[in-house]
Amino acid sequence: MTPHNNAKAGDYAQAVLLPGDPLRAKWIAETFLSNARQVNSVRNCLGYTGMWNGKPVSVQATGMGQPSTAIYVHELLETYGVRKLVRVGTCGGLNTAVKVRDVVIGAAASTDSTIVKSAFGNYNFAPAADFALLRAADDAARSRGKRVHVGGIVSSDIFYHPNGLEAYGRLIDHGVLGVEMEAATIYMLAARFKAQALAICTMTDCLITGEEIDADARQNSLEDMVEIALEVATGG
Ligand code: HPA
């Protein structure tokens, strides 16, 4: 038990999928897992544990943004002994080579968040994905015929940025593929606790062209992404 989680010791599997939305956590548990049971109900930030292809796996919602995500992830790692974290989410596109529905795998996550900055004094820590999970996700996405991009992403604290696309100008110049709101902190905490982490994103809205995913494609793409994440989280 923690202030934010009423699961008991042993209630989480060692591998956990991390969607932002609690109802997406519920949907993943009900759609993909067998024998799924709810393990967390605090603040309706739902967590579940079940089986996928005969292997134990959990799903825990993080809420939106790094402060919320950091709380759930820290406690999963410290209190519940979780060893593999796979975020499943959406990202905004920052590169015209990335089309809506494409999978973006964050090899590294830049951030404007003080959550990372304040932990390293003069250093700019480079939050990076676990290589084994990254390679497995790339393989799993390609074998499903998905268009997949592996590279830098940015985890921003600001969804409605007053500077719009300009806010990301220097990052775009440096090849950053997409913007989301959680990966950098997940990568930092995984490094701190000697665990493995990866963020897999579906690109849903291109900030450069204004192209957006439609409702049907969103659902299909989410299903593909969750299957890739489950394969990665339960493999190895
Ligand atoms: N910003 C942050 N996160 C996102 C976006 C965005 O534009 N699109 C999807 N997730």
Side-chain angles (χ1 to χ4, degrees):
M1 297 264 282
T2 76
H4 317 97
N5 198 319
N6 53 7
K8 296 185 294 300
D11 272 349
Y12 284 94
Q14 296 233 316
V16 182
L17 262 57
L18 300 171
D21 178 359
L23 291 183
R24 190 159 297 149
K26 183 170 192 276
W27 171 75
I28 291 170
E30 289 174 352
T31 309
F32 296 91
L33 305 190
S34 52
N35 300 321
R37 64 190 175 92
Q38 192 180 319
V39 293
N40 185 35
S41 61
V42 178
R43 288 175 184 250
N44 286 322
C45 209
L46 304 174
Y48 297 86
T49 296
M51 303 288 282
W52 188 75
N53 277 353
K55 298 196 177 139
V57 65
S58 297
V59 191
Q60 172 61 49
T62 61
M64 288 179 283
Q66 295 177 80
S68 174
T69 299
I71 290 171
Y72 295 103
V73 168
H74 183 105
E75 293 176 354
L76 286 172
L77 292 164
E78 185 176 65
T79 307
Y80 296 103
V82 167
R83 304 304 301 153
K84 274 190 207 177
L85 300 159
V86 182
R87 166 166 157 71
V88 284
T90 60
C91 70
L94 295 176
N95 185 311
T96 53
V98 181
K99 308 295 180 198
V100 290
R101 305 185 59 154
D102 287 3
V103 172
V104 176
I105 303 175
S110 301
T111 186
D112 55 5
S113 178
T114 53
I115 263 191
V116 175
K117 212 174 277 182
S118 62
F120 295 93
N122 284 337
Y123 293 91
N124 292 317
F125 180 70
D130 177 78
F131 180 66
L133 298 186
L134 182 73
R135 185 161 55 181
D138 186 55
D139 287 348
R142 285 177 201 284
S143 72
R144 282 174 169 73
K146 295 290 292 180
R147 281 172 50 91
V148 55
H149 309 264
V150 178
I153 57 175
V154 54
S155 305
S156 176
D157 280 350
I158 307 170
F159 187 88
Y160 295 110
H161 206 295
N163 297 342
L165 187 59
E166 248 174 52
Y168 309 109
R170 299 310 298 267
L171 296 169
I172 293 170
D173 286 348
H174 289 72
V176 168
L177 300 172
V179 53
E180 52 81 78
M181 302 187 74
E182 291 84 14
T185 284
I186 299 171
Y187 289 177
M188 175 186 72
L189 290 173
R192 192 173 297 165
F193 286 91
K194 314 287 180 284
Q196 296 176 279
L198 182 69
I200 306 175
C201 306
T202 299
M203 201 281 267
T204 51
D205 53 291
C206 181
L207 274 63
I208 297 170
T209 63
E211 191 191 4
E212 284 183 16
I213 202 164
D214 62 55
D216 282 354
R218 175 183 284 265
Q219 191 56 30
N220 292 340
S221 300
L222 285 176
E223 287 172 16
D224 288 343
M225 179 175 55
V226 170
E227 280 181 359
I228 293 165
L230 285 166
E231 192 173 321
V232 168
T234 59

